[in-house]
Amino acid sequence: MSDIVNAITALEKRTVAFDEAIAKAGGLVLFAATMGVTCRQAYSWRTYGYVPLERAIAIEAIFEVDHKRLLTPDVIGSPSDGWKAFPDKLD
């Protein structure tokens, strides 16, 4: 049961981070336009709770939202292993 709770909590944290980027852009439409994707694609990132790595890095550069907050732990590892899955992308 705690695995499910942890997964939901992690999803909520990623959704909050994504919502911060959308707010900084001025809304979903402007966010999608800035990122060069459709509104549908941007909304699906929010719905599923993750962003592809290269897009997360771009979101961080443009909207100043830490890209680690937008990725699933299976992509970047976990804090306990020092986020070492993609060290060249995380520094």
Side-chain angles (χ1 to χ4, degrees), residues 25-85:
L28 184 66
V29 173
L30 293 173
F31 173 85
T34 301
M35 294 301 298
V37 299
T38 64
C39 288
R40 183 176 182 167
Q41 181 64 53
Y43 188 76
S44 74
W45 293 342
R46 186 188 183 284
T47 300
Y48 294 113
Y50 70 91
V51 177
L53 178 62
E54 60 278 352
R55 296 296 189 163
I57 292 169
I59 290 169
E60 180 177 52
I62 297 167
F63 302 109
E64 300 178 350
V65 173
D66 185 0
H67 69 277
K68 289 180 266 185
R69 295 175 54 212
L70 300 164
L71 300 169
T72 59
D74 60 317
V75 173
I76 61 168
S78 68
S80 63
D81 66 24
W83 306 101
K84 294 186 181 186

Side-chain angles (χ1 to χ4, degrees), residues 12-28:
E12 289 172 347
K13 288 179 181 177
R14 289 190 307 273
T15 301
V16 167
F18 195 74
D19 286 345
E20 286 177 29
I22 291 171
K24 288 181 178 186
L28 184 66

